[in-house]
Amino acid sequence: MKGKTASALLLLGLLCAVLGVFAAPALAHDTLRSSTPVSDAVVSGLDLIELEFNSHVRYPVVLLHDAAGQRLPSGTPRVRGAKVTVDVDEPLPSGSYTVVWRVVAADGSPIEGEIPFTVRSSSAPPPSAPVTSAPVTSAPVSSAPVSSAPVPSRTPVRAMGGTDEQGGLPGWTWAVLAGPALAGAGALLMWRRRKPADRVTSS
C-alpha cells in the first residue's frame, strides 16, 4: 500500500514538472526592463527616448504627449534587438509629459505601457538688452536773416529814353530835329504871303 502511494506521488511530481516546463514560456511575457526617462523622473530636458526590453521585440509604436494630451512631434522608432529608440524633434519646455509605448513581444503577444515624467528646465532665457533710442539730431538752423527782397528778374528792363519797339530813334531826338524844320516851314510860309512889291524891294 505504501509502495503504491509513493509511486503515485512520484508520478504526480513528474507530471507537474513536465507541465511547468512547457507552461513557463507561455506565462513569461516580455517586459520593459529599463527606460530613458524612467517613470516619474524629473529631467532638465529630453532629446532621445530609449526603451529596453528583456527580449527581442517588433513593430514598436512610441508616442509623446504633454499634460493636455496633445501629441508632440517625434521621430520614427528604431529597433535594435531588445532596444527601441526614438528622437524627440523639438526641445521640451517645463511641464508634465507621458511616453506611451506598444510593442509586439517575441511570442507574438502585444505589450504596452506608459512612462510619466516632468521637465524642469534650469536655463532661463537671457534677459533682453534694453533698447536705447539714439538721440535725434536736427540739422543746424542758420541764424542769418532771411531776406524778403524779391529776387531780381533775369529779363532785362528797358531804360527810359531807349528805342521803341519798332527799333526807331528815341522820342527826344525827334523833338530836337522837328524844331528847326517847323521854324523853317513857318518862315517860308510867311515869305510867300508877302506882296510882290515887298519882295522886290527887299531884293
Side-chain angles (χ1 to χ4, degrees):
M1 185 69 181
K2 291 182 179 179
K4 293 183 179 179
T5 304
S7 299
L9 292 176
L10 181 59
L11 182 60
L12 181 60
L14 292 175
L15 181 60
C16 291
V18 172
L19 291 177
V21 170
F22 285 99
L27 296 176
H29 293 295
D30 293 340
T31 58
L32 179 66
R33 188 183 341 186
S34 63
S35 66
T36 302
V38 298
S39 182
D40 298 324
V42 178
V43 297
S44 60
L46 183 68
D47 54 6
L48 182 67
I49 300 173
E50 293 182 348
L51 306 175
E52 187 172 358
F53 300 86
N54 62 346
S55 181
H56 288 52
V57 294
R58 298 173 295 170
Y59 312 119
V61 176
V62 181
L63 304 177
L64 179 61
H65 295 271
D66 59 11
Q70 184 70 28
R71 179 181 175 183
L72 302 178
S74 58
T76 303
R78 301 181 298 271
V79 182
R80 187 174 183 180
K83 181 178 289 188
V84 178
T85 57
V86 181
D87 293 323
V88 179
D89 294 341
E90 298 178 358
L92 300 180
S94 297
S96 299
Y97 300 90
T98 302
V99 176
V100 180
W101 58 268
R102 183 179 186 273
V103 295
V104 176
D107 59 356
S109 59
I111 56 176
E112 59 187 14
E114 295 182 356
I115 304 173
F117 67 99
T118 303
V119 174
R120 290 180 184 172
S121 178
S122 59
S123 61
S128 57
V131 179
T132 58
S133 57
V136 180
T137 58
S138 58
V141 180
S142 175
S143 59
V146 180
S147 175
S148 60
V151 179
S153 174
R154 294 180 180 271
T155 305
V157 180
R158 186 175 61 185
M160 294 182 62
T163 58
D164 56 9
E165 295 180 0
Q166 287 79 17
L169 295 175
W172 62 270
T173 304
W174 286 106
V176 172
L177 296 178
L182 292 176
L188 180 60
L189 181 60
M190 293 180 62
W191 182 78
R192 286 183 178 182
R193 287 183 179 181
R194 292 175 61 184
K195 294 181 180 181
D198 296 336
R199 291 199 298 267
V200 172
T201 303
S202 59
S203 60

